[in-house]
């Protein structure tokens, strides 16, 4: 079964716009779980523009599903993850000034750095995932560095899907096959939506987890959170 992890960054963006606690990030996370989410993803950025470090601590003891923390492994991030001990940490090569994640790791060039960082998380019993482009070589070097999983950066798939679905999915199938051959797990995320998710799933049904935030929270404005989560879950069935 492919798991749906709901990324709640955008709930925190809305909350932070007024400085109070509306909407309540923890309550929304718990409601997502009640509505069928298999996990919750957060991406605490250094400027705390959406998820704050305090949100990560607040969420940990209350979540009943899988908690996935994404981010660039700066010392403060490593410290936070080792203290909170989520089920999974996803390493993303983000510069603090980026609006959003826009590339995967060059796992070959960063092999030594990633190996050291992953070793700390692996030793703490936290499942590790490395954010990579749909490139078999990047998947291979993520496995060499000691990652339990890779997360394929799906923005190029989402952008190209409306023009030519077959061409858009082709490199993702190759990268996903490489992960399967190497015996590591497979996640995917970024710009997945109700438009493109089912086609992704049908072509790569062995994907372990998709993490989805921006489109899902936007759809919830029209459909409501419960129905939206159900519709995304329906996309993960053949
Ligand atoms: C790692 C990734 O793909 C991102 O989608 C991310 O978690 C979203 O971050 P923002 O919500 O800050 O755009
Ligand atoms: N890892 C991707 C993620 O958590 C959500 O990305 P998006 O759906 O907000 O683009």
């Amino acid at each position: 079964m492919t798991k749906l992890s709901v990324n709640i960054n955008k709930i925190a963006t809305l909350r932070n716009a007024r400085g109070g606690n509306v909407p309540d990030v923890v309550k929304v996370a718990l409601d997502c779980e009640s509505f069928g989410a298999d996990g919750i993803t957060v991406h605490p950025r250094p400027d705390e523009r959406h998820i704050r470090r305090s949100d990560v601590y607040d969420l940990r003891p209350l979540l009943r599903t899988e908690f996935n923390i994404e981010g660039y492994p700066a010392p403060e991030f490593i410290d936070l993850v080792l203290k909170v001990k989520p089920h999974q940490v996803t390493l993303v090569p983000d510069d603090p000034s980026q609006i959003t994640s826009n590339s995967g790791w060059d796992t070959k060039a960063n092999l030594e750095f990633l190996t050291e960082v992953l070793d700390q998380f692996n030793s703490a019993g936290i499942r590790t995932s490395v954010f990579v482009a749909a490139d078999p070589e990047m998947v291979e070097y993520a496995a060499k560095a000691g990652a339990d999983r890779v997360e394929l950066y799906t923005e190029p798939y989402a952008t190209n899907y409306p023009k030519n679905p077959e061409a858009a999915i082709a490199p993702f199938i190759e990268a996903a096959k490489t992960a399967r051959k190497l015996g590591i797990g497979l996640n995917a995320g970024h710009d997945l939506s109700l438009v493109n998710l089912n086609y992704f799933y049908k072509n790569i049904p062995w994907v372990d987890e998709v993490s989805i935030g921006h489109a899902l929270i936007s759809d919830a404005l029209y459909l409501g959170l419960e129905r939206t989560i159900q519709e995304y879950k329906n996309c993960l069935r053949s």
Side-chain angles (χ1 to χ4, degrees), residues 33 55 63 122 157 186 202:
E33 290 184 320
D55 293 323
L63 295 180
N122 289 333
Y157 164 72
L186 182 71
K202 279 194 172 141

Side-chain angles (χ1 to χ4, degrees), residues 7 9-10 43 45 50 70 92 99-101 131 151 190:
N7 182 318
N9 293 351
K10 288 289 160 1
H43 189 141
R45 293 184 181 272
H50 42 57
E70 303 184 328
V92 186
I99 288 180
T100 187
S101 311
F131 197 60
E151 176 176 334
H190 204 94

Side-chain angles (χ1 to χ4, degrees), residues 5-10 41-43 68 70 90 92 100-101 131 151-155 187-193 209-217 232:
S5 185
V6 174
N7 182 318
I8 57 168
N9 293 351
K10 288 289 160 1
T41 290
V42 294
H43 189 141
N68 174 40
E70 303 184 328
T90 302
V92 186
T100 187
S101 311
F131 197 60
E151 176 176 334
L152 298 181
Y153 170 51
T154 47
E155 188 276 338
N187 295 343
H190 204 94
D191 281 343
L192 292 174
S193 71
E209 175 192 285
V210 291
S211 50
I212 308 182
H214 187 80
L216 188 153
I217 300 303
Y232 275 81

Side-chain angles (χ1 to χ4, degrees), residues 76-192:
E76 313 76 56
F77 177 84
I78 295 176
D79 178 63
L80 175 71
V81 174
L82 289 175
K83 281 193 178 122
V84 169
K85 285 204 179 22
H87 300 87
Q88 176 174 273
V89 60
T90 302
L91 306 186
V92 186
D94 281 353
D95 182 272
S97 62
Q98 270 173 232
I99 288 180
T100 187
S101 311
N102 63 3
S103 67
W105 286 94
D106 182 338
T107 49
K108 190 174 180 184
N110 291 285
L111 182 63
E112 202 179 321
F113 173 65
L114 288 171
T115 304
E116 278 171 26
V117 173
L118 290 169
D119 186 48
Q120 294 184 62
F121 294 132
N122 289 333
S123 305
I126 301 166
R127 190 174 71 226
T128 53
S129 181
V130 171
F131 197 60
V132 292
D135 174 344
E137 191 182 32
M138 294 301 116
V139 176
E140 274 168 35
Y141 275 87
K144 265 190 198 149
D148 296 312
R149 294 188 183 183
V150 285
E151 176 176 334
L152 298 181
Y153 170 51
T154 47
E155 188 276 338
Y157 164 72
T159 299
N160 294 324
Y161 174 85
K163 292 169 247 162
N164 186 340
E166 265 181 53
I169 197 71
F172 288 84
I173 296 175
E174 285 317 303
K177 282 184 178 166
T178 303
R180 191 168 58 177
K181 191 180 74 195
L182 293 167
I184 60 169
L186 182 71
N187 295 343
H190 204 94
D191 281 343
L192 292 174

